[in-house]
Amino acid sequence: VDETLVPEFGVVRGTEPDVLQIGSCSGFNGQLVPIPCTCPPDRNLFINALNNALEVGNVEGEPITFSNDASDQSGATNKQRATACVIVLQSFNGEKGNGCPVASAPNFKTQQDTG
């Protein structure tokens, strides 16, 4: 994967730990929301997971694709790239839905919505 085509997460792991809800930190989905303090994952580990998923062609049975053509910045292609990132993020811990919520990567969600 051309890492320059993968948006930054947009949230820093461990931001504003919640003293009442132990293990929760601040994420963002239009407003501040609690996310696990372990999210988002380390970017290098995330890129490795994305590469592995693309080699297989799916994440836990959900197909993904990612265009490495940097000259293609069309809305459809950027949405497809972001969707691949969201799927990998949400299954980062090795099983579907057991990863980090999209609120831990608001830049993915924005690109998924707007291209």
Side-chain angles (χ1 to χ4, degrees), residues 68-85:
N68 276 309
D69 180 359
S71 68
D72 183 355
Q73 293 297 316
S74 69
T77 297
N78 282 331
K79 287 179 182 184
Q80 170 254 356
R81 289 176 182 136
T83 297
C85 291

Side-chain angles (χ1 to χ4, degrees), residues 64-97:
I64 64 167
T65 57
F66 189 101
S67 172
N68 276 309
D69 180 359
S71 68
D72 183 355
Q73 293 297 316
S74 69
T77 297
N78 282 331
K79 287 179 182 184
Q80 170 254 356
R81 289 176 182 136
T83 297
C85 291
V86 168
I87 292 169
V88 170
L89 180 72
Q90 292 178 332
S91 299
F92 189 76
N93 293 329
E95 65 183 69
K96 193 171 186 173

Side-chain angles (χ1 to χ4, degrees), residues 19-107:
V19 296
L20 299 176
Q21 193 172 353
I22 304 301
S24 291
C25 289
S26 290
F28 192 77
N29 68 354
Q31 62 185 14
L32 290 177
V33 295
I35 61 170
C37 287
T38 57
C39 293
D42 174 82
R43 183 165 170 87
N44 290 331
L45 293 176
F46 177 79
I47 297 293
N48 288 339
L50 180 59
N51 278 321
N52 291 338
L54 290 167
E55 283 180 23
V56 176
N58 72 82
V59 175
E60 302 300 318
E62 188 165 353
I64 64 167
T65 57
F66 189 101
S67 172
N68 276 309
D69 180 359
S71 68
D72 183 355
Q73 293 297 316
S74 69
T77 297
N78 282 331
K79 287 179 182 184
Q80 170 254 356
R81 289 176 182 136
T83 297
C85 291
V86 168
I87 292 169
V88 170
L89 180 72
Q90 292 178 332
S91 299
F92 189 76
N93 293 329
E95 65 183 69
K96 193 171 186 173
N98 185 7
C100 292
V102 75
S104 66
N107 291 345

